[in-house]
Amino acid sequence: MQKLRLITFILLSLGAGAVAHAEENRYVSDDLTTWVRSGPGDNYRLVGTINAGEKVTLLQSSGKYGQIRDNSGRTAWVMLDELRNTPSLHVRVPDLENQVKTLTDKLNNIDGTWNQKTAEMQKKVAESDSVINGLKAENQQLKNQLVVAQKKVNAANLQLNDKQRTIIMQWFMYGGGVAGVGLLLGLLLPHMIPSRKRKDRWMN
């Protein structure tokens, strides 16, 4: 009986459609469980089940069945319709969750970095505002000092003008006095000198 099954299996393997000789990775469909058989046909007995989403290796195909090897090294036959080229949701969902978590962590880091940079910029702006306000206050103080200095200069100029006028008047008065004395002497001396000569003549 076993020899007959073996012969039947060989004939079905040779007479079936194209056979895949290269090993390929496949994923079991998202059904809860998938039955596997001992051979490539519905007439072969069921030898167990395989978990949904499990990664298997496709060894060869015959008709609508493919021979697979699971993670434990077991080989069996399963319908090709139950296999997928892409990971099932059972595998992809955790991967997507990990990707979402990674992206969320990156966004949080970006937010933290951005908040830190924003805080630093605000601090620099506040420091700049403080420096600007200090410069404005110092500028206003210098302006006030300049106004006071200008008033002092104007007052000094007024005092200088008054002193100059006083000095001019003093020199004018001094010059007038000298001129008056010179005039007076010029008038008196001619009269004084001849009278001395007359006295000298009488004495001789």
Side-chain angles (χ1 to χ4, degrees):
M1 187 67 179
Q2 290 181 350
K3 291 182 178 180
L4 180 61
R5 286 184 177 178
L6 180 59
I7 293 172
T8 304
F9 171 72
I10 294 173
L11 291 174
L12 289 173
S13 299
L14 294 174
V19 177
H21 298 287
E23 296 182 0
E24 299 178 11
N25 292 329
R26 291 290 188 273
Y27 299 88
V28 180
S29 65
D30 291 329
D31 297 335
L32 293 178
T33 55
T34 298
W35 290 97
V36 293
R37 296 181 180 273
S38 60
D42 296 339
N43 57 333
Y44 288 88
R45 64 188 177 86
L46 299 173
V47 294
T49 59
I50 191 167
N51 296 326
E54 184 177 342
K55 183 179 179 180
V56 296
T57 301
L58 178 63
L59 302 176
Q60 61 178 333
S61 61
S62 177
K64 62 180 181 178
Y65 279 85
Q67 188 182 29
I68 61 170
R69 181 174 61 243
D70 61 12
N71 294 330
S72 63
R74 180 185 62 170
T75 59
W77 291 84
V78 65
M79 294 185 67
L80 293 173
D81 292 342
E82 300 292 338
L83 301 178
R84 302 288 184 270
N85 291 325
T86 57
S88 64
L89 292 176
H90 180 74
V91 176
R92 283 183 291 172
V93 168
D95 291 341
L96 292 174
E97 289 177 349
N98 291 332
Q99 291 179 9
V100 170
K101 183 178 182 303
T102 302
L103 291 175
T104 302
D105 293 340
K106 289 182 178 180
L107 288 175
N108 291 333
N109 291 333
I110 291 174
D111 290 339
T113 304
W114 178 257
N115 291 333
Q116 182 179 359
K117 290 183 178 180
T118 302
E120 291 176 355
M121 290 298 296
Q122 290 177 347
K123 182 179 179 181
K124 290 181 179 179
V125 170
E127 292 176 353
S128 299
D129 291 340
S130 178
V131 172
I132 291 172
N133 292 331
L135 292 175
K136 287 182 178 179
E138 185 177 357
N139 186 30
Q140 185 62 40
Q141 184 178 3
L142 292 174
K143 286 182 178 179
N144 295 334
Q145 292 177 357
L146 179 61
V147 171
V148 173
Q150 288 177 345
K151 290 182 178 179
K152 289 182 179 180
V153 169
N154 293 333
N157 289 330
L158 292 175
Q159 292 179 357
L160 180 61
N161 292 333
D162 291 338
K163 287 182 179 180
Q164 287 177 346
R165 284 194 292 269
T166 301
I167 291 172
I168 291 172
M169 289 297 296
Q170 289 177 352
W171 277 103
F172 180 77
M173 293 176 64
Y174 178 77
V178 171
V181 171
L183 180 63
L184 182 61
L185 289 174
L187 294 174
L188 294 176
L189 285 176
H191 295 287
M192 293 174 65
I193 292 173
S195 61
R196 287 180 182 178
K197 288 181 179 181
R198 289 173 184 176
K199 289 179 181 181
D200 291 341
R201 290 177 183 178
W202 286 105
M203 290 175 65
N204 290 328

